[in-house]
Amino acid sequence: MAETTRGVNEGQQRYNPAEIEPKWQARWDADASLYAAESHDAGKPKFYCLEMLPYPSGQLHMGHVRNYAIGDALARFMWMRGYNVLHPMGWDAFGLPAENAALKNNTPPAEWTLANIAAMRKQMRRMGLSYDWETEVTTCLPDYYRWNQWLFLKMYEKGLAYRKKSKVNWCPECATVLANEQVIDGRCWRHDDTLVEQRDLTQWFLRITQYADELLSGLEKLEGWPEKVRTMQRNWIGRSEGTEVTFAIDGCPDGSKVTVFTTRVDTIFGATSVQLAPEHPLVRHWASFDEKLAPAVEEMLAQQKAAREAGDLGAIEKHGVDTGRFAVNPYNGELVPVWVANYILADYGTGAIMSVPAHDARDFEFAAKYGLPVKRVVAANVDGEGLELPYLGEDEGVLIDSGAWTGESCLEAQEKMAAFAQTNGFGSKTVTYRLKDWGVSRQRYWGTPIPMVYCERGHAGVEAGGVVPLPESALPVLLPEQVEITQQGGSPLGRVEGFVNTTCPVCGGPARRETDTMDTFVDSSWYFYRYTDAKNSTAPFDSAKANYWFPIDQYIGGVEHAILHLIYSRFWTKVMRDLGLIHNDEPAARLFTQGMVIKDGAKMSKSKGNVVSPDLMIERYGADATRMYALFAAPPDRDLEWQEEGVAGISRFLAKVYRLTTKYAEVAGKGSGKSGGGADLLRTLHQTIAKVTQDFSGRWHFNTSIASIMILVNEIAANEAAMDSGEVPALAIGEVFRGLVRMLAPFAPFVSAELWELLGGGGAVFRTAWPAADEELARESEMEIPVQSNGKLVTVVRVAAGSDEAVIKAAALADEKVVARLEGKTVVKVIVVPGKLVNLVVR
RNA sequence: GCCCGGAUGGUGAAAUCGGCAGACACAGCGGACUUAAAAUCCGCAGACCGUAAAAGGUCGUGGGGGUUCAAGUCCCCCUCCGGGCACCA
């Protein structure tokens, strides 16, 4: 900032954040206890305020600044309200970017990552964020990831971690497998121009599906979570109740059967074909000897592959091939043709369906294309009257032409027909999910080593090459430091002889270590528990500590984690609860997802060239103005358009606060009181306190909190003459400035600390009590009542506060503008809403 | 296609329970101070009609309908924008 030559007025100084902020930052850095949480057994009400931990890319961006400005304001407010606050920060430090950086710069991932962490920690301190650095968690350090390994072993013991060969998502760019949650529209979540391939690999999985029902039903209780996130998780879990029905294949010498999954077993009398996925085992079996079927199936699979590569799986045209075989409908013995169809998903339900064209839109379309019969079995009433097909009729439908079930309602028939299948041994009610088990193996270096070995020779109970879990005493399995990172396939750890070759912990024979590492989402699934006991070297954390702090009272982060981190961490919480480590069912009682920071109408990104650097903003306007602008420019749940002029505006506002406070610091420092004049100023002060307090406890619309503080400051400025003359007494001045500075503390901590000291406040301003709104002082003596005629404003009358209906009505009718307006008209009705308005209904 | 959000001045927004639409800012314009500029301070500012200037009037919260003394807010229909899900049987 340019130096001005203007001399300062007596007792007031120019606001200079470049001087104030580093001074306070140094003081805060020197005092580790300042933001430290108190012990879990201090007997105080607790508040766990958490922002999502960042990936240490090396640079904070505006999204971080916004996220942390919200959390920091809340944490400071809760301290001032007397809570024991835990406000920690850490680093999601494993992951591919470190390996890419290693390739590019020839720096070891650990070195690169730790340097980035140091740089970002410095930026956070520069922002004046109130983190308790004593509880810092860095996921790439052995004291953290050993507990990933420990928990993985516990899950293995419980059968929740297992190995299987299956089709997995492979990103050629990352050169590793991805979880289903990390594939978006067939593309990698980190490389949206890279198509994910399907590969058959043996991988480690976590049995998240075991908790599918609880993950779903738990959403109902998460009232403090945005409805949007709950809906997204509900969709992702994709629970579907239905019935499995087994059809025998007609005339098949080997007794083959096919089981279909349907949610509408009531319509089974209308089934006119059975449709199988091309990958279905029965199809493979038939294709192995059926020369006509084999090429058709091959073609179908090839087409699917091509469509997937074009990234356009949804647009593929539905088509099918008749296998020439028939299946027997077990309800009525009817023979229906068996087809192979390209739209049947192999990994959903049983990979086979019954096709009921009359009552399913997609089956209807398919039947029309291939001339399959359409057989109506549901109508709106028993007479089967005129409804166009396909007719779904779930709630109001009645079965027709359905044997013993004719005349039943669809819903009743579903129950009875499923029971019938069960009794007769050809089916049962069942539930399927879209959610699949979580594949956690990654063929990468920079992650947590999976604590498993493969015993080469085998021993009792373990075949040669079989899995042997390491004992707890072998933890941590350290990630070797000298590893060559290359782009060639396979896990880089597989090329480290000293790592791979080991001995079997059971038989002592030669063994090979697992060379895959864990998905980094494992790290972030439970990091927030570690904050409660970050230095524990004998357990992931002490249960008593975790039980005191959990659930997180407020979790704040971006909505982009709605079905990744936020579903994994809910799962992990339930697992740890079942392991007896914690009591809570859910990690966070309340979740807040803040809006994006945009510039020129688009999300900030390097490719668009619209990135605004937080460092630059701090340099130009200071950290206080930068973070306060992030809270002022929009309510926190909405997108925020970054306008530098707005930051300058906040900076001017803070300069005004600074000028006024320094000018009156001496007189204000003499004490504070509530009587003897200055009523107007005190009224505004207490109205502002009420408003800001309300915003904190409710909607977090800090934009309006800050606006009301600006009104207070404008009012103070308007009272300068009265303050100078002594018309406003010193005690009132003290009250006003002490209130103002404390209200500013959650939003602009640096300048608040500086001004609090000048006021002789003593102690850290954000550890003093939040000012209390005095209703008496806040009350207006007069109120303005708008007077309307037929809903249109005529005038505003002033009456004494608390006037009753009769007084307000009389005042309204006596007003000269009202009298003029009523000339020659009849008042039909007078509506008086005390304290609000008067509306005259006239004719 | 289905499910969530959203649309208010030149701009960001406010109006929290159906009760003065546009608080508070940004940008703009006019003025004071200054040799000048910056900074600061004061004032103006939804649109249209009207007036010498006023006064005054009309319209106005994406569009159309409705409920009500009163609608940005509630109900019905529609448009556009953002996000999520999507061959899920």
Side-chain angles (χ1 to χ4, degrees), chain A residues 14-57:
Chain A
R14 195 170 57 87
Y15 173 56
N16 185 4
E19 196 179 297
I20 295 170
E21 294 183 357
K23 179 178 105 188
W24 284 95
Q25 193 197 317
R27 285 209 212 171
W28 295 341
D29 289 353
D31 180 4
S33 70
L34 189 66
Y35 300 124
E38 292 170 59
S39 166
H40 65 288
D41 47 20
K44 259 191 164 179
K46 63 94 182 180
F47 192 85
Y48 189 170
C49 177
L50 183 66
E51 297 112 64
M52 288 181 186
L53 91 174
Y55 177 80
S57 60

Side-chain angles (χ1 to χ4, degrees), chain A residues 279-302:
Chain A
E279 299 92 342
H280 195 281
L282 207 48
V283 176
R284 292 198 173 175
H285 173 60
W286 289 335
S288 67
F289 57 82
D290 183 331
E291 281 150 26
K292 261 199 272 182
L293 190 60
V297 172
E298 279 310 308
E299 199 194 324
M300 206 177 273
L301 290 169

Side-chain angles (χ1 to χ4, degrees), chain A residues 290-459:
Chain A
D290 183 331
E291 281 150 26
K292 261 199 272 182
L293 190 60
V297 172
E298 279 310 308
E299 199 194 324
M300 206 177 273
L301 290 169
Q303 255 185 1
Q304 228 160 357
K305 196 173 170 231
R308 193 175 284 121
E309 273 160 21
D312 210 9
L313 210 52
I316 194 167
E317 205 195 328
K318 291 177 186 45
H319 83 121
V321 181
D322 190 347
T323 65
R325 284 141 180 101
F326 289 86
V328 185
N329 183 336
Y331 283 87
N332 58 9
E334 227 174 78
L335 293 184
V336 294
V338 179
W339 285 60
V340 183
N342 66 344
Y343 66 92
I344 306 301
L345 303 174
D347 57 1
Y348 183 78
T350 59
I353 64 154
M354 64 176 197
S355 177
V356 184
H359 306 295
D360 180 279
R362 196 189 48 203
D363 292 349
F364 188 81
E365 188 194 324
F366 190 84
K369 179 169 175 179
Y370 290 102
L372 291 164
V374 177
K375 189 183 165 199
R376 169 189 282 265
V377 290
V378 180
N381 56 55
V382 281
D383 299 325
E385 274 166 5
L387 282 160
E388 259 183 56
L389 294 178
Y391 171 62
L392 302 178
E394 282 161 330
D395 293 333
E396 70 276 17
V398 174
L399 293 187
I400 56 172
D401 295 333
S402 296
W405 293 279
T406 299
E408 300 263 10
S409 78
C410 288
L411 293 176
E412 275 173 43
Q414 269 169 35
E415 295 300 317
K416 291 183 179 174
M417 292 172 81
F420 182 80
Q422 178 100 44
T423 312
N424 291 280
F426 61 78
S428 61
K429 276 188 82 161
T430 184
V431 179
T432 59
Y433 299 91
R434 210 181 88 100
L435 181 74
K436 299 289 173 228
D437 279 341
W438 174 14
V440 293
S441 300
R442 295 291 177 273
Q443 293 70 47
R444 300 305 327 166
Y445 161 69
W446 193 232
T448 304
I450 295 174
M452 296 285 173
V453 300
Y454 302 97
C455 179
E456 300 257 283
R457 292 200 296 254
H459 53 263

Side-chain angles (χ1 to χ4, degrees), chain A residues 591-614:
Chain A
L591 170 71
F592 188 88
T593 52
Q594 89 267 5
M596 286 188 301
V597 180
I598 57 178
K599 177 90 171 84
D600 308 323
K603 188 177 178 177
M604 286 186 189
S605 73
K606 273 186 199 155
S607 58
K608 289 197 189 82
N610 60 351
V611 175
V612 179
S613 139

Side-chain angles (χ1 to χ4, degrees), chain A residues 691-764:
Chain A
K691 167 70 183 158
V692 177
T693 307
Q694 192 192 6
D695 278 337
F696 264 110
S697 43
R699 309 183 306 166
W700 290 8
H701 280 203
F702 300 128
N703 52 332
T704 59
S705 314
I706 294 168
S708 67
I709 296 173
M710 287 171 169
I711 293 171
L712 172 63
V713 172
N714 290 344
E715 178 83 6
I716 294 172
N719 274 276
E720 268 192 88
M723 292 193 290
D724 290 343
S725 71
E727 193 188 319
V728 176
L731 289 182
I733 294 173
E735 169 91 356
V736 167
F737 281 100
R738 288 168 67 92
L740 168 67
V741 170
R742 279 180 293 164
M743 277 193 283
L744 225 39
F747 307 116
F750 288 112
V751 71
S752 304
E754 173 80 8
L755 294 175
W756 187 249
E757 191 178 62
L758 283 172
L759 287 171

Side-chain angles (χ1 to χ4, degrees), chain A residues 502-721:
Chain A
T502 182
T503 53
C504 172
V506 176
C507 68
R512 295 179 67 78
R513 281 187 200 277
E514 169 65 65
T515 58
D516 285 352
T517 53
M518 296 184 201
D519 183 359
T520 57
F521 279 97
V522 167
D523 311 338
S524 56
S525 287
W526 68 281
Y527 74 100
F528 32 58
Y529 290 95
R530 183 73 180 169
Y531 284 142
T532 66
D533 196 12
K535 296 192 167 100
N536 196 324
S537 58
T538 58
F541 49 83
D542 174 19
S543 292
K545 291 180 183 171
N547 286 333
Y548 168 74
W549 287 108
F550 272 78
I552 296 159
D553 294 278
Q554 186 67 60
Y555 199 16
I556 309 163
V559 75
E560 65 273 16
H561 291 106
I563 48 180
L564 285 158
H565 165 58
L566 289 171
I567 208 162
Y568 293 144
S569 56
R570 291 184 61 222
F571 160 63
W572 207 278
T573 288
K574 290 168 197 301
V575 171
M576 293 204 308
R577 177 201 58 197
D578 291 349
L579 289 170
L581 297 172
I582 48 172
H583 291 324
N584 51 301
D585 297 321
E586 296 284 348
R590 290 170 57 83
L591 170 71
F592 188 88
T593 52
Q594 89 267 5
M596 286 188 301
V597 180
I598 57 178
K599 177 90 171 84
D600 308 323
K603 188 177 178 177
M604 286 186 189
S605 73
K606 273 186 199 155
S607 58
K608 289 197 189 82
N610 60 351
V611 175
V612 179
S613 139
D615 279 339
L616 183 68
M617 289 296 117
I618 294 173
E619 214 170 281
R620 286 187 185 157
Y621 308 101
D624 279 338
T626 302
R627 42 188 289 177
M628 199 158 162
Y629 173 74
L631 297 175
F632 177 68
D637 48 340
R638 273 211 235 174
D639 285 352
L640 182 155
E641 166 81 30
W642 195 269
Q643 289 177 316
E644 191 169 336
E645 295 84 358
V647 190
I650 294 289
S651 173
R652 281 198 291 272
F653 165 72
L654 292 174
K656 193 168 172 181
V657 171
Y658 188 83
R659 179 184 72 78
L660 289 165
T661 312
T662 51
K663 178 174 172 188
Y664 295 102
E666 206 185 324
V667 55
K670 287 177 180 153
S672 65
K674 300 176 179 185
S675 57
D680 289 346
L681 209 43
L682 288 175
R683 183 181 310 117
T684 308
L685 171 71
H686 286 277
Q687 286 174 350
T688 307
I689 295 170
K691 167 70 183 158
V692 177
T693 307
Q694 192 192 6
D695 278 337
F696 264 110
S697 43
R699 309 183 306 166
W700 290 8
H701 280 203
F702 300 128
N703 52 332
T704 59
S705 314
I706 294 168
S708 67
I709 296 173
M710 287 171 169
I711 293 171
L712 172 63
V713 172
N714 290 344
E715 178 83 6
I716 294 172
N719 274 276
E720 268 192 88

